[in-house]
Coordinates of all heavy atoms in Angstrom, one line a residue:
D79 N 17.2 20.8 -0.5 CA 16.7 22.2 -0.8 C 16.8 23.0 0.5 O 17.4 22.6 1.5 CB 15.3 22.1 -1.4 CG 14.2 21.6 -0.4 OD1 14.4 21.7 0.8 OD2 13.3 20.9 -0.9
E80 N 16.2 24.2 0.5 CA 16.3 25.1 1.6 C 15.7 24.5 2.9 O 16.1 24.9 4.0 CB 15.6 26.4 1.3 CG 14.1 26.1 0.9 CD 13.3 27.4 0.5 OE1 13.3 28.3 1.4 OE2 12.7 27.4 -0.5
N81 N 14.8 23.5 2.8 CA 14.1 23.0 4.0 C 14.7 21.6 4.4 O 14.6 21.3 5.6 CB 12.6 22.8 3.7 CG 11.9 24.1 3.4 OD1 12.2 25.1 4.0 ND2 11.0 24.0 2.5
V82 N 15.2 20.8 3.5 CA 15.5 19.4 3.8 C 16.8 19.0 3.2 O 17.1 19.4 2.0 CB 14.4 18.5 3.2 CG1 14.5 17.1 3.8 CG2 13.0 19.1 3.3
R133 N 9.5 15.0 1.7 CA 10.0 16.3 1.9 C 8.9 17.1 2.7 O 9.3 17.9 3.6 CB 10.1 17.0 0.5 CG 11.5 17.0 0.0 CD 11.4 17.4 -1.5 NE 12.4 16.6 -2.2 CZ 13.7 16.9 -2.2 NH1 14.2 17.9 -1.6 NH2 14.5 16.0 -2.8
T137 N 9.4 18.7 6.4 CA 9.3 20.1 6.6 C 8.2 20.5 7.6 O 8.4 21.2 8.6 CB 9.0 20.9 5.3 OG1 10.0 20.4 4.3 CG2 9.2 22.4 5.4
E138 N 7.0 19.9 7.4 CA 5.9 20.3 8.2 C 5.9 19.8 9.6 O 5.4 20.4 10.5 CB 4.5 19.9 7.5 CG 4.3 20.7 6.2 CD 2.9 20.7 5.7 OE1 2.0 20.2 6.4 OE2 2.7 21.2 4.6
Ligands
LIG10 C1 10.2 25.2 2.2 O1 9.2 25.3 3.2 C2 8.3 26.4 3.0 C3 7.3 26.4 4.2 O2 6.6 25.2 4.2 C4 7.6 26.4 1.6 O3 6.8 27.5 1.5 C5 8.7 26.3 0.6 O4 8.1 26.2 -0.7 C6 9.6 25.2 0.8 N1 10.7 25.1 -0.2 C7 10.9 24.1 -1.1 C8 12.0 24.3 -2.0 O5 10.1 23.2 -1.1

Side-chain angles (χ1 to χ4, degrees):
D79 63 32
E80 55 182 306
N81 299 322
V82 197
R133 266 168 217 278
T137 309
E138 294 199 7

